[in-house]
Amino acid sequence: MVTGENECAEVCRLRRLLSVHDRPGPAVALVSGRAGTGKSRLVRRLTGLPEARARSLRVLAFTTGRPELRAPDAAGGAGHGAGADEDPLAAVEAWHDPSGPPALLVVEDVHRADAGAGARLRAVLARPAGRLVAVLTYRPEELAGPGLPLGAPVPYPAESTVLRIRLTPLDADEVGRRATAALGEHRCSQGFVDRLYARSGGVPQVVVDLLRTLDDGGPDLCTAAEVDAAGVPVRLAELVLGRAAGLAPEHRKVVGAAAVLDAPASLADLAAVAGLTTDGGRAALLAAEAAGVLREHDGGRYGFEVPLAATAVHEALPGPVREDLHRRAARVLGRRQPVPWAQLARHHRRYGAVRAWLRAVERAAEAAAAAGRHQDAIELAEDALADVRVPQPARVRLALLLARSAVVGLRSEQTVEVLRRIIGDLALPAEVRGEIRLDLALLLNNQAGSSSDGRSELIGAAEELRGRPELAARAMSALAMPYWPGGTFAENLAWLERAEAAASESGDAVVQVAVAANRATVLINTGDADSWQLVEQLPRESEQLACRQHVARGLNNTADAAVWLGEYHRATALLTEGRALAARTGASYAQRTGGSTVLLLEWTTGMWAGLSGRAAAFAREAGEGSPTAADAELVLAQLALAKGDWSRAASLVSDTGAFSPDAAVPLAAAASGVRIRLATARREPEEAAAEAARAWARVRHKGVWAWAAELAPWAVEATAAAGRPDAAHAWIAEFAAGIEGLRVPSGVASLARCRAVLAEAEGEAATAARHFRAAAEAYAALPRPYDAALAREGAGRCALPLGGAEARRAVDELTAATKELDDLGAVWDAARVRATLRTGPQGTERRPPGRPGYGGRLSPREQEVAALAGTGLTNREIADTLHLSSRTVEQHVARALRKLGAHSRQDLATEGPGAEGAGAGGG
């Protein structure tokens, strides 16, 4: 296939033909490609080559069978336009003088040449003059004789090199690259690219036309639905409808049948849907192929080259004709085994058979859910429920199908609204309402960011489902999950006990596995070392798909718990297994949560190369500000803070969107840690202390102290700095008691850091340095290189004023921390540590005597200032970080702008040295 890379390969092949040294004799290149596959693009690239400009160059194009001699594009070199009375072919024939210079003849669209023109071109190629290179382009589907571009065989002389180059559609990766180039990476979701490729068939011109239609200049993420809404490009519609119009009316029937089936089909199916006999269908299909309307696909099936062409033909069919075709299509598909229910439903709906349509939709949704294709089931049910013709009994059945699949798959806003309307129906039996309410609650909790509403709905569902213990157990099991802020951990455990009792009473294996997965998640999050055996007991090889889906969910949830605990090796193994199982079983939501946990794991373990791009792409795909994007946005905020982009960090962890009051407790605690760091850096001690108090109260209310690890050091530091050391001491004691006897590696390191920052705040420098070193060792062992570097910075900062051996050790620690932070790409942190080294009591920054000269290059200090200015920090913020005056910073920024030729501080982000450092950090 011709992608961006192998299009270059074809140009290289043509370029070699132009080389006198590689090929001294004449040559012919026959370039074939269906409409829109890039023949003209290839010709433009060819005529723009230096080798082409060095030759006598003629471009001959056929319009409606008549040749036209035209000059190539300006980049293509010299050419001669034909005069009004000039015979272009005569000029070409006369131009080929054996004594003339090497020549290049480009002939476009030779499939349109009439018999006379074809004969004259054949004569030119049969007796080429000198070192002629002829490049002929044509559409194979429009040739009068298959395989004969010039209407008859050409007696090429033995010394001629003859090549055939076939241009075929782009592959999916190249379509994605072109979409990104046209719209921007931030707008191109994977679903959008997949749909663009599927509907365009990869035909380059169709891809370009669709992208031009879709490019509204807006910032929003493009989705698959927008590709469908874009319609059929005019160029494609006119091409296929024009070709179809040239067929006899009896032959056009098979084209209508192909449009209605909307997928490659066998001759027998096309004939049956068209209402033709087998012989009549064969004749019609041959005519449609000869006219270039349909083509043969793999496996003896026939259809359109571009799937969107089917839409153009379908829309042009008269209503009664279209309905008859859909009715016959339904009869054909209804006889297949297994029945393709989703396709059958579409045809029944198209000709108005409502009962048959709904029956097929239900069967299709059930089959999709049973096979683990929950997104397909969701789309089928949502689409049907949006139709006012659906009667109440069918609405209830479809709502149940929708709810069950939405919990496992990925919800939409429409799903939530549909389920809310259904449970508001007072005529529903309580148990039916309870089942739908249960799935709605799980959506609100897990995917819609409404945990308070979700908790309320779960409690209601548990009450309504008292007569169905297998469903009541699911509601209670969900209420046992401690992530959400409503309810204490003691209450979560009480719900867990009730869920286990109900699951045992139900005797339902699927519910028992679901509750077992939740039990493992609940207990592991606390740091209970014995609970890891519960993960091993989950039945990975269960024969029931639903059981395996719950296992996949449990594995991904416990992987997330392992990250918060600091059990990174366990987290890696669980993610590998859990994501693979989720993919195999169609558990889309579990697969996505596993992907978000990977981002957290990469952040904590220092795998920052390219992380910013991966996290941003994940957040776009999940929906920025949504609960499923929270992990990614937390990672982006922490990266932004480390690099000095404070405004971006603040916007990412604002108390709206993913970090609203309904956010999961561990995520909310970590986001508060970022907010506290920002307030502290901005010299807003009261705001930092207030955020610390709010965050600590949330963790205390929940009672899962392992989740305080990401918050505690910053909260203790802010509280002590605000003049409340007693509160800081109490918090440390509370944190220590909360994790005592539990396996919480991150908590142990965090606790040492808490003691260090409090000792530093109270002026106990030696004690603080000792605690910081213990924290650095604990973080390095996990490994958490960023936190280890920050702890080393703290140790060096505290030990530096002590003098003697301690000061020398402090210099080594600060130097090591600087290198580690530079390697990660933590621009702001590294600059701060260097400033500490420079301002040490013993002059720790050493340089040769005299003032160094840097000429037009930035000095080290100017590099630091430029890097921080490029992130958006103000002069005062930079001055605070580097221990300089604001006036000095202002002068450094001015010199950096002048030396780099930058026009604004924002330009320093891409032109300054900070951009180079981002390579290491993956910014």
Side-chain angles (χ1 to χ4, degrees), residues 357-437:
W357 160 53
L358 290 175
R359 185 169 59 251
V361 165
E362 288 185 47
R363 297 292 296 272
E366 288 169 352
R373 293 182 286 104
H374 292 281
Q375 287 306 115
D376 292 344
I378 289 169
E379 290 172 11
L380 284 162
E382 281 188 345
D383 185 49
L385 286 166
D387 195 307
V388 296
R389 296 175 295 173
V390 180
Q392 181 68 357
R395 297 186 76 80
V396 171
R397 292 194 300 273
L398 286 167
L400 285 168
L401 282 168
L402 171 61
R404 291 165 186 164
S405 283
V407 172
V408 181
L410 298 173
R411 62 97 194 180
S412 70
E413 296 300 332
Q414 181 178 341
T415 306
V416 173
E417 291 308 311
V418 168
L419 296 182
R420 284 191 187 279
R421 287 198 301 271
I422 293 290
I423 63 173
D425 183 354
L426 297 178
L428 280 180
E431 289 183 355
V432 172
R433 184 186 293 107
E435 182 173 359
I436 298 174
R437 191 189 302 279

Side-chain angles (χ1 to χ4, degrees), residues 7 12 150 182 207 209 222 283 312 330 376 387 436 450 454 524 560 626 682 721 807 818 886:
E7 179 186 38
C12 289
L150 295 174
V207 173
D209 289 345
C222 293
D376 292 344
D387 195 307
I436 298 174
S450 300
I524 285 173
D560 180 75
S626 71
R682 287 172 167 164
T818 303
S886 294

Side-chain angles (χ1 to χ4, degrees), residues 552-583:
R553 178 177 59 82
L555 292 173
N556 283 289
N557 284 346
T558 51
D560 180 75
V563 171
W564 294 116
L565 294 173
E567 298 271 13
Y568 302 131
H569 297 298
R570 273 187 166 137
T572 300
L574 288 168
L575 283 169
T576 300
E577 185 182 12
R579 295 178 73 201
L581 184 58

Side-chain angles (χ1 to χ4, degrees), residues 1 44 60 194 227 295 330 423 465 530 550 607 660 675 694 732 775 785 838 913:
M1 291 190 174
R44 285 195 300 272
L60 188 66
D194 291 345
V227 178
R295 74 170 184 87
I423 63 173
L465 294 168
D530 295 333
H550 283 301
M607 299 172 65
S660 70
R675 294 192 198 111
R694 289 190 294 268
I732 290 176
R838 282 195 298 269

Side-chain angles (χ1 to χ4, degrees), residues 10 61 169 188 210 273 279 313 320 364 395 518 527 613 634 671 833 863 911:
E10 302 299 0
C188 297
L210 281 171
V273 174
D279 288 342
V313 173
R395 297 186 76 80
N518 280 16
L634 176 63
V833 181
Q863 289 180 25
E911 297 185 34

Side-chain angles (χ1 to χ4, degrees), residues 164-467:
R164 187 184 301 277
I165 296 175
R166 293 184 176 88
L167 303 187
T168 51
L170 309 171
D171 61 22
D173 289 341
E174 180 63 19
V175 169
R177 283 191 286 272
R178 295 198 180 192
T180 298
L183 304 181
E185 185 177 2
H186 66 288
R187 299 195 63 195
C188 297
S189 68
Q190 189 57 53
F192 167 75
V193 172
D194 291 345
R195 191 64 171 167
L196 179 65
Y197 173 64
R199 298 301 288 157
S200 68
V203 174
Q205 187 62 63
V206 180
V207 173
V208 168
D209 289 345
L210 281 171
L211 289 172
R212 286 173 178 165
T213 300
L214 292 163
D215 187 8
D216 58 2
D220 296 336
L221 188 70
C222 293
T223 65
E226 289 172 86
V227 178
D228 294 335
V232 185
V234 172
R235 200 188 320 259
L236 173 63
E238 291 188 353
L239 175 69
V240 69
L241 293 175
R243 287 177 173 179
L247 295 171
E250 192 71 6
H251 294 161
R252 281 202 295 272
K253 292 180 179 179
V254 80
V255 177
V260 163
L261 289 170
D262 199 21
S266 67
L267 167 59
D269 284 354
L270 288 169
V273 174
L276 300 170
T277 65
T278 301
D279 288 342
R282 180 180 291 104
L285 184 55
L286 287 171
E289 277 199 280
V293 183
L294 302 178
R295 74 170 184 87
E296 184 177 5
H297 293 261
D298 294 338
R301 297 170 301 125
Y302 303 86
F304 296 93
E305 172 78 11
V306 180
L308 265 176
T311 303
V313 173
H314 189 274
E315 291 174 350
L317 291 169
V321 172
R322 190 188 310 120
E323 289 182 9
D324 286 343
L325 289 167
H326 279 292
R327 187 177 290 107
R328 286 194 290 267
R331 285 200 295 269
V332 168
L333 295 179
R335 292 193 292 266
R336 288 186 182 172
Q337 290 299 325
V339 177
W341 291 110
Q343 297 176 49
L344 188 60
R346 182 174 66 87
H347 294 299
H348 282 317
R349 189 178 193 179
R350 287 286 191 172
Y351 73 88
V354 175
R355 291 180 62 186
W357 160 53
L358 290 175
R359 185 169 59 251
V361 165
E362 288 185 47
R363 297 292 296 272
E366 288 169 352
R373 293 182 286 104
H374 292 281
Q375 287 306 115
D376 292 344
I378 289 169
E379 290 172 11
L380 284 162
E382 281 188 345
D383 185 49
L385 286 166
D387 195 307
V388 296
R389 296 175 295 173
V390 180
Q392 181 68 357
R395 297 186 76 80
V396 171
R397 292 194 300 273
L398 286 167
L400 285 168
L401 282 168
L402 171 61
R404 291 165 186 164
S405 283
V407 172
V408 181
L410 298 173
R411 62 97 194 180
S412 70
E413 296 300 332
Q414 181 178 341
T415 306
V416 173
E417 291 308 311
V418 168
L419 296 182
R420 284 191 187 279
R421 287 198 301 271
I422 293 290
I423 63 173
D425 183 354
L426 297 178
L428 280 180
E431 289 183 355
V432 172
R433 184 186 293 107
E435 182 173 359
I436 298 174
R437 191 189 302 279
L438 166 61
D439 290 327
L440 171 62
L442 294 174
L443 285 182
L444 292 171
N445 258 355
N446 297 334
Q447 300 185 47
S450 300
S451 64
S452 55
D453 288 347
R455 178 178 171 79
S456 175
E457 297 288 2
L458 281 171
I459 293 172
E463 178 66 22
E464 289 170 334
L465 294 168
R466 283 181 298 174

Side-chain angles (χ1 to χ4, degrees), residues 118-134:
R120 295 170 71 182
L121 281 173
R122 291 197 300 272
V124 169
L125 300 178
R127 296 182 298 277
R131 293 189 296 275
L132 170 69
V133 175

